[in-house]
């Protein structure tokens, strides 16, 4: 049941971010364009996923047997191992995809995009090295 309560709190916060963005959109003046589209996307995404998450969390909390089963599966060693392997594989693939994106955008002359992707890649590698050294000392 603990997992369902944590998930419910997370989605309540998620919905709150959407409502705050909605209030910002209502009480501020937009001149249209990019900013308006960005705020409406944030509102729609956060409120929709938040409300759906709250619905499914409440539904899970009403069925204690299913909630206990989900929590057990969530904390199972095999599930955690699969999650770590999946994250590592995604990280490796994204490094190659971002590197290819840097090369392509650099060759096509999109300097800003190229620099943004390069910055993201450098930050990601620095964080990887930092966490790897931290966890190698800890474990």
């Amino acid at each position: 049941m603990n997992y369902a309560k944590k998930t419910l709190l997370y989605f309540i916060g998620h919905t709150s971010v959407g409502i705050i963005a909605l209030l910002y959109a209502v009480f501020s003046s937009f001149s249209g364009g990019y900013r308006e589209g960005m705020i409406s996307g944030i509102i729609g995404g956060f409120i929709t996923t938040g409300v759906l998450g709250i619905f499914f969390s409440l539904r899970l909390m009403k069925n204690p047997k299913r909630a206990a089963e989900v929590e057990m599966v969530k904390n199972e060693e095999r599930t955690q191992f699969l999650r770590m392997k999946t994250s590592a594989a995604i990280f490796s693939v994204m490094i190659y995809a971002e590197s290819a994106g840097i090369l392509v955008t650099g060759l096509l002359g999109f300097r800003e995009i190229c620099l943004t992707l390069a910055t993201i890649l450098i930050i990601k590698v620095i964080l990887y090295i930092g966490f790897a050294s931290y966890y190698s000392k800890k474990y």
Side-chain angles (χ1 to χ4, degrees), residues 44-61:
F46 274 91
I47 290 178
T48 303
T49 56
V51 169
L52 287 174
I54 289 170
F55 171 73
F56 286 117
S57 296
L58 290 174
R59 202 169 127 200
L60 185 63
M61 288 174 69

Side-chain angles (χ1 to χ4, degrees), residues 113-134:
I113 298 172
C114 182
L115 290 174
T116 304
L117 287 174
T119 304
I120 291 170
L121 184 63
I122 290 170
I123 291 170
K124 191 181 285 189
V125 169
I126 290 171
L127 286 173
Y128 177 80
I129 292 169
F131 281 112
S133 65
Y134 170 76

Side-chain angles (χ1 to χ4, degrees), residues 76-88:
E76 190 177 51
E77 185 177 336
R78 181 178 181 274
T79 306
Q80 291 177 355
F81 174 74
L82 290 174
R83 192 177 311 125
M84 285 191 302
K85 291 295 276 186
T86 303
S87 296

Side-chain angles (χ1 to χ4, degrees), residues 10-135:
Y10 170 76
F11 283 116
I12 288 172
H14 207 79
T15 307
S16 300
V17 170
I19 291 171
I20 290 169
L22 178 66
L23 292 173
Y24 174 75
V26 168
F27 293 118
S28 66
S29 60
F30 291 121
S31 59
Y34 173 76
R35 187 178 225 187
E36 184 178 320
M38 180 100 146
I39 293 294
S40 62
I42 290 171
I43 293 168
F46 274 91
I47 290 178
T48 303
T49 56
V51 169
L52 287 174
I54 289 170
F55 171 73
F56 286 117
S57 296
L58 290 174
R59 202 169 127 200
L60 185 63
M61 288 174 69
K62 287 182 181 178
N63 188 352
K65 184 179 176 184
R66 176 76 176 134
E69 184 180 306
V70 167
E71 191 162 350
M72 185 181 73
V73 169
K74 184 93 173 150
N75 296 327
E76 190 177 51
E77 185 177 336
R78 181 178 181 274
T79 306
Q80 291 177 355
F81 174 74
L82 290 174
R83 192 177 311 125
M84 285 191 302
K85 291 295 276 186
T86 303
S87 296
I90 290 171
F91 180 80
S92 299
V93 168
M94 288 308 297
I95 292 287
Y96 290 120
E98 289 169 1
S99 299
I102 291 169
L103 289 174
V104 168
T105 56
L107 291 173
L108 293 176
F110 298 113
R111 186 171 188 268
E112 293 84 14
I113 298 172
C114 182
L115 290 174
T116 304
L117 287 174
T119 304
I120 291 170
L121 184 63
I122 290 170
I123 291 170
K124 191 181 285 189
V125 169
I126 290 171
L127 286 173
Y128 177 80
I129 292 169
F131 281 112
S133 65
Y134 170 76
Y135 285 126

